[in-house]
Amino acid sequence: MSGDRTPQGWLINPAGQQMDVLRFPLGIAATPDGSKVIVSSDSGSVQGLTTIDTNTLAAVPVPAANLFMA
């Protein structure tokens, strides 16, 4: 069986499909046609967006400065 064990010995597995995005994801939104998902992240220094193609599951991270400034 694959997965990780807790200190109590329980076996845990992540639910669903896991995708690599920039560190510390804060928000997620799908495009109106559902072809892409955009994830906003604040990695502690560089903020950015990761665009995920829903057909191929290809993820493209794009660093951005001051993404969360209002």
Side-chain angles (χ1 to χ4, degrees):
M1 291 179 103
S2 65
D4 293 311
R5 292 214 177 259
T6 67
Q8 296 79 15
W10 297 356
L11 182 64
I12 58 172
N13 291 308
Q17 179 93 21
Q18 306 296 308
M19 301 297 306
D20 285 329
V21 298
L22 293 172
R23 194 173 138 233
F24 194 40
L26 295 174
I28 185 169
T31 57
D33 64 359
S35 66
K36 295 188 176 23
V37 173
I38 312 297
V39 179
S40 62
S41 300
D42 179 4
S43 66
S45 60
V46 176
Q47 300 161 354
L49 300 173
T50 302
T51 302
I52 301 169
D53 184 302
T54 58
N55 293 318
T56 64
L57 298 181
V60 178
V62 178
N66 298 324
L67 186 62
F68 299 104
M69 300 279 298

